[in-house]
Amino acid sequence: MIGMSRYYLSRAVLSAVFGFLFALTGSTWWVAALIGAIAFAFFLWAPHSGRYVVHPELSVTALRRDERTQGINDRSARNAFIVTMLAVAGAALYFGRFTPAVVPVAFLNYTLILGVLIYYLSSFLQRRSS
């Protein structure tokens, strides 16, 4: 067993353990199996995603980041931070100056979701353009 086979086998074991932990916390068996399958699907997708450099000779630890992928992650995080701060500033102006009221928690949740979406969208677009 060489190369990526060890990686996939180790990730199958990790996914099974993850699903088992969900079962221990009180989830039904089918939810735990679904969570384990989703985790394994992520591990199958990761080497082909473009987010990592694949080194099959490293077997279990085959995925690495290089300068390009780290730069993309840094720029994506910067973009998400800027958009999130602009949204928070807009909320401070709107709820503090124009219509004095308490900021709803739902608005803050939407702001965080917006930041996450911007991070992944920016990351996806940068990986496709280079």
Side-chain angles (χ1 to χ4, degrees), residues 31-92:
V31 171
L34 182 64
I35 293 296
I38 289 171
F40 189 62
F42 170 76
F43 289 132
L44 289 176
W45 169 78
H48 307 286
S49 67
R51 297 182 67 84
Y52 304 99
V53 176
V54 180
H55 295 285
E57 67 274 6
L58 297 175
S59 71
V60 176
T61 59
L63 303 183
R64 296 279 192 252
R65 286 193 173 163
D66 61 354
E67 294 83 20
R68 176 185 167 273
T69 57
Q70 190 60 44
I72 289 172
N73 288 339
D74 292 345
R75 287 189 299 274
S76 298
R78 179 203 60 209
N79 295 343
F81 179 76
I82 289 170
V83 168
T84 303
M85 288 301 104
L86 289 174
V88 168

